[in-house]
Amino acid sequence: MDDLGLDDAERALLAAWRETRATSRRDPVEQQLLDTWRQWRRHPATRPLWATALQHRLRAEVPPAPATGLADRHGALPEAPGRLLGMLLGGAVGEFIAVGQVGQRTTAVLFALEGLIRAHTRARSAGEGDPIGSTLGGLRRWLHTRGIPWRDCGTDTARPSGWLVGEPALHSTNSDDATMLTALARVAAGHPAGSRQQPINGSDTATAVPLGALAALWSGDPGTVFALGGDLAALTHGHPNGHSPASVLGVAVLWLLRGNSLQTSLGQGLSGWQSARTPLTRALRLGRSSPAGLRPGRAHLDAMRPGRSGLDALAVAVRVATACEDDFAGAIRSASEHSGDAATSAMLCGQLLGALHGPTAIPAEWLADLPITALVERLAADAATEFGPYPDESDQWERRYPPTESAEPPAPSTTDYRTGLTAVPRLAASRDRFLGAVLGCAVGEALGMPIAADGWDEIRSRHGADGLTDYIPAGHPSGRLGSDTQLLLFSLEGTIRANVSRRTTGTEDPTRHIQHAYQRWLHTQHLSWPRAAGEFLRGTPVPDGWLVGQRALFQTRNPGRTMMRTLIAFAKGQQPMGTPENPVSDSQGSSAIMRAVPAALWSNDPAEVFHVGTNTAALTHGHPTAWLSAGTLAFLVSRLMNGEPLAAAVDAALEQLAPHTGHEEVSRRITTAVRLARSGRIPPGDLERSIGTGATAAEALGIGLYAALVCDGDFDAALPVAVNHSGNSATTGAVCGSLIGAASGAERIPERWTSELELYDVIERLAHDAVLEFGPRPPTWTDRYPPT
């Protein structure tokens, strides 16, 4: 069987299959296997939970654990996306069977989920995301789908945003309970939204209870989920019997997403609502005592005297779900046949059993009849992405789920749903710019490395009058990394691990973690770990973390002598960690400069970034020219990430440099680069005479800065200017690429540079992990980035 045209997941699937068969030969069953896999991908509702978990395990790496309900202390939950889809489809099918159409509870849940996705997107991009206010915004859009003109929905925007409100299947004027509509209409008219502390009304009806299931996505903490579930329902239902059942449901679904039994999950949910334990515990006991194969009928359920309150509806759902745990169709039919709020009972029953078994428990003919199955699959996949380990950070995502649409703030809650957000908010654009800075460095060094030891005349004779303008095809891939990029990656990993430590133990300075990372890099240069580790051997008997396991990094790419000498001396215990005050060398070499780029993430204060950048370089390079140049580059990247123009960032950098002893050499190279750029392009020989060859950190900074300025941020034009001269073309290209990448972002780097870049996937993953770690809701990394 030809493996061409397969994606990574399909190749991994076939590799796993062939391993079990102990053969690499073509197998006639493989095409059937692929066809089934693709069918599951096209129609997720047909995919069993074990296949969802298999898809998770087929990843080339273990993803981090998100700080949401889709993970536990062991990491991301492989089956959770399937259980989430089962919960949403199960609830939708339950109400559909009960009322014969897509009902108001289902559509309200979908719009509330869209609001939570927007809240989490905002939390990632701006450091603040209010799930209550964003859910209220989603319910405003739901109100509009009930036939209310948008101008009357209590919003100041011209039209509703996002994709969901444009789905015709969600628009209907049918309603069997007006409580939610009436409450939202009051909010639209200027009345404060409801909360558990400040009720909007005295309603105890059940229509808002299904919203509580969504709270399980926001957090892995049962207490937070319990509070959020109740707060979501209390937006429109003021009586405890109308909103507290949503709290119980949220916690039960949280435990079901973790693969727990229905009885255990319901028991955890019930434990939080003491005043209603008697009727709910009785319902659970009646369900468990039902004879096998006998589902509760109307007479059994009516004997419970069910009404239309949320407590009544949940009690019926608990009894039926536990009695018919393995019979989804029987449970829904039973929950739909009693004298109370059958629509809500059936929906709650479907949510519980769908989360327990996944979507394959739902009869296929019911899913075929449900008009919104594909829509729910799409929204569930988006929710799993947003609350999973690798949320989508593209502009297209924020167009689908705009995080900025205004909404009337709800009444205050006693729970801070931003718990766990860091104090370092980042704009979404800055994340792309940081990735651009890292990729730009790698591309620039890869372009310049083959000519780093050549003079301009030699470069021109080999590569033409314009010099080198593309990678030299000396292997695959042709854009090979150099030691500067290797060290940049380990610096970045050390910075991530330092921030993990800062979150847990209060670490204030990342330099020790970065020193540890450099000893791991030294290990990749063909030194055993006991010889490379130095004092870190006591705490880490083997090199830990994810990056050092990337075997392609175990390549010697002509590292600088100062780097090797100082790191080996540290490993032998011959010298301590270097600092600007206590230098371990007198080197001003350019290999110090690129390692400071990760410092741009450490703080929102560029002055602190400058300080961290200087300390990073001083670990090995003790001359002020080296560590001040490195601090300046980190400072520039930090300002560029926040959208400041390069020229203005340079002016601010000169002001930052001025108070430091020994800044004159660095400041002179920078001012020369600015002056030359203002006069236009100059020949490489003149560039060398004016700024230097790039041998020192200040010269490399000056040449890279000149190329970025004179080409006005044009990546394709600037890189050849940065590398075509006599001298250290690798580092000057890296500086230029990092500055332009930070200014314009990774998306603006032409694909021809990244498609042939060695270890592109590793670079992208590490940079992506870094912006997640320094974002508002960092994941739980477990062994990927230990805080050692």
Side-chain angles (χ1 to χ4, degrees):
M1 180 179 179
D2 190 355
D3 288 355
L4 295 177
L6 304 181
D7 62 24
D8 291 342
E10 290 169 348
R11 290 192 183 93
L13 175 68
L14 290 186
W17 167 259
R18 291 168 180 172
E19 184 177 352
T20 63
R21 306 278 291 182
T23 180
S24 60
R25 297 189 306 170
R26 297 178 181 177
D27 190 308
V29 182
E30 288 185 0
Q31 187 59 52
Q32 182 180 354
L33 180 66
L34 280 176
D35 290 343
T36 302
W37 185 262
R38 290 166 178 168
Q39 165 71 14
W40 288 338
R41 186 167 54 193
R42 287 192 299 269
H43 302 289
T46 65
R47 182 167 54 207
L49 289 177
W50 66 262
T52 304
L54 176 61
Q55 187 176 34
H56 175 90
R57 290 194 293 270
L58 287 177
R59 294 181 65 96
E61 56 189 70
V62 178
T68 68
L70 299 187
D72 61 13
R73 61 189 179 89
H74 300 295
L77 298 165
E79 293 183 351
R83 296 185 188 276
L84 169 61
L85 176 58
M87 184 271 288
L88 292 173
L89 283 174
V93 164
E95 186 181 26
F96 183 76
I97 294 300
V99 301
Q101 61 184 357
V102 176
Q104 66 179 70
R105 300 159 186 79
T106 296
T107 53
V109 163
L110 298 182
F111 277 98
L113 176 56
E114 186 216 24
L116 285 180
I117 293 174
R118 293 189 185 204
H120 201 259
T121 300
R122 181 169 177 79
R124 289 189 292 105
S125 64
E128 55 179 5
D130 175 18
I132 306 300
S134 293
T135 298
L136 181 58
L139 292 176
R140 290 178 189 275
R141 292 184 288 279
W142 173 81
L143 182 64
H144 175 56
T145 67
R146 302 297 95 186
I148 307 300
W150 182 243
R151 65 180 178 273
D152 296 330
C153 291
T155 177
D156 56 4
T157 58
R159 60 181 61 87
S161 62
W163 70 277
L164 195 65
V165 74
E167 294 294 325
L170 300 181
H171 288 248
S172 173
T173 58
N174 293 324
S175 174
D176 61 294
D177 185 298
T179 302
M180 187 176 291
L181 288 166
T182 303
L184 291 172
R186 291 186 67 195
V187 175
H191 192 283
S195 71
R196 289 176 294 157
Q197 295 73 34
Q198 299 177 13
I200 191 172
N201 54 33
S203 176
D204 67 351
T205 63
T207 46
V209 174
L211 299 179
L214 305 177
L217 290 174
W218 188 261
S219 173
D221 173 52
T224 301
V225 171
F226 188 91
L228 179 57
D231 281 343
L232 294 179
L235 286 169
T236 57
H237 287 66
H239 194 282
N241 284 356
H243 58 69
S244 293
S247 296
V248 174
L249 178 66
V251 175
V253 169
L254 177 69
W255 282 74
L256 288 170
L257 290 177
R258 282 153 170 67
N260 292 286
S261 70
L262 182 61
Q263 180 180 344
T264 297
S265 301
L266 287 171
Q268 291 294 327
L270 296 179
S271 66
W273 190 17
Q274 297 299 324
S275 62
R277 290 197 69 180
T278 299
L280 293 178
T281 302
R282 179 171 178 269
L284 182 60
R285 185 177 67 252
L286 288 172
R288 291 180 56 205
S289 62
S290 295
L294 179 65
R295 62 182 178 90
R298 177 183 291 272
H300 298 98
L301 300 180
D302 283 349
M304 297 173 62
R305 297 185 178 178
R308 300 195 65 82
S309 76
L311 176 59
D312 294 331
L314 182 61
V316 170
V318 167
R319 177 173 180 178
V320 172
T322 50
C324 306
E325 184 173 327
D326 297 319
D327 181 8
F328 185 94
I332 297 301
R333 291 192 180 97
S334 179
S336 303
E337 298 170 356
H338 61 85
S339 58
D341 185 349
T344 302
S345 295
M347 185 170 185
L348 295 175
C349 187
Q351 287 179 316
L352 291 169
L353 295 182
L356 176 66
H357 296 299
T360 55
I362 305 171
E365 61 272 19
W366 287 6
L367 290 174
D369 291 340
L370 183 68
I372 59 170
T373 296
L375 185 153
V376 175
E377 288 176 333
R378 181 182 178 189
L379 187 62
D382 286 353
T385 297
E386 176 58 40
F387 291 97
Y390 296 126
D392 189 334
E393 296 186 334
S394 67
D395 291 340
Q396 181 181 6
W397 181 268
E398 293 202 3
R399 287 192 294 270
R400 282 170 57 75
Y401 298 101
T404 56
E405 183 177 285
S406 63
E408 187 76 18
S413 169
T414 57
T415 303
D416 180 8
Y417 295 113
R418 294 173 296 174
T419 300
L421 304 185
T422 72
V424 191
R426 288 280 172 194
L427 297 175
S430 72
R431 302 177 178 194
D432 182 58
R433 290 177 181 142
F434 180 74
L435 175 57
V438 176
L439 282 174
C441 169
V443 169
E445 186 186 34
L447 176 64
M449 190 167 60
I451 57 173
D454 297 342
W456 169 236
D457 289 338
E458 187 177 1
I459 295 170
R460 185 167 45 184
S461 67
R462 288 183 178 178
H463 304 290
D466 295 331
L468 184 64
T469 59
D470 206 346
Y471 294 138
I472 295 177
H476 181 75
S478 53
R480 303 188 71 197
L481 301 186
S483 61
D484 280 358
T485 301
Q486 289 179 338
L487 284 159
L488 168 61
L489 297 181
F490 277 94
S491 288
L492 182 53
E493 186 218 23
T495 305
I496 293 172
R497 291 169 61 157
N499 200 60
V500 175
S501 178
R502 175 163 63 173
R503 289 193 283 118
T504 55
T505 65
T507 297
E508 296 181 356
D509 186 347
T511 49
R512 182 167 178 79
H513 286 80
I514 294 172
Q515 179 80 59
H516 192 184
Y518 290 166
Q519 303 311 127
R520 288 191 294 277
W521 171 81
L522 183 64
H523 170 57
T524 69
Q525 305 301 293
H526 309 301
L527 270 75
S528 67
W529 180 239
R531 291 181 59 202
E535 64 187 59
F536 298 111
L537 187 62
R538 291 191 296 271
T540 49
V542 295
D544 57 357
W546 164 75
L547 189 64
V548 76
Q550 305 301 309
R551 302 306 301 177
L553 284 170
F554 284 67
Q555 301 285 336
T556 300
R557 296 289 167 83
N558 194 27
R561 286 178 291 180
T562 298
M563 282 295 307
M564 294 296 292
R565 180 174 58 81
T566 54
L567 295 182
I568 289 174
F570 177 86
K572 291 180 176 180
Q574 297 172 347
Q575 64 186 30
M577 289 170 49
T579 66
E581 298 76 22
N582 297 291
V584 293
S585 74
D586 61 355
S587 174
Q588 55 184 313
S590 60
S591 62
I593 189 169
M594 297 313 305
R595 300 184 274 117
V597 168
L601 286 176
W602 187 255
S603 172
N604 273 349
D605 181 1
E608 185 177 359
V609 167
F610 180 89
H611 176 72
V612 172
T614 60
N615 286 349
T616 298
L619 288 171
T620 56
H621 289 63
H623 197 284
T625 295
W627 46 262
L628 286 175
S629 297
T632 300
L633 180 62
F635 180 93
L636 290 172
V637 169
S638 174
R639 302 289 285 247
L640 293 172
M641 282 172 56
N642 288 324
E644 188 170 345
L646 179 55
V650 170
D651 291 340
L654 289 171
E655 294 179 7
Q656 182 70 36
L657 274 169
H660 294 274
T661 303
H663 77 90
E664 293 80 8
E665 175 70 5
V666 183
S667 297
R668 183 170 69 85
R669 303 293 179 182
I670 292 175
T671 54
T672 300
V674 173
R675 175 177 54 81
L676 293 176
R678 287 173 178 166
S679 61
R681 295 273 293 270
I682 62 174
D686 293 347
L687 181 64
E688 179 184 345
R689 285 187 289 272
S690 299
I691 300 182
T693 62
T696 70
E699 292 173 357
L701 177 62
I703 293 174
L705 177 60
Y706 160 78
L709 286 170
V710 78
C711 296
D712 195 24
D714 185 324
F715 201 89
D716 281 332
L719 281 192
V721 173
V723 304
N724 283 300
H725 56 80
S726 300
N728 187 358
S729 300
T731 305
T732 57
V735 171
C736 175
S738 192
L739 290 173
I740 295 180
S744 58
E747 290 189 1
R748 299 287 296 276
I749 297 177
E751 186 179 358
R752 72 184 185 92
W753 296 110
T754 57
S755 62
E756 282 297 309
L757 182 64
E758 185 182 20
L759 291 180
Y760 170 76
D761 292 342
V762 172
I763 297 170
E764 184 181 43
R765 173 52 52 215
L766 186 65
H768 187 88
D769 286 354
V771 297
L772 284 179
E773 172 59 35
F774 286 92
R777 302 203 70 166
T780 302
W781 298 108
T782 60
D783 294 334
R784 187 176 178 83
Y785 298 108
T788 51

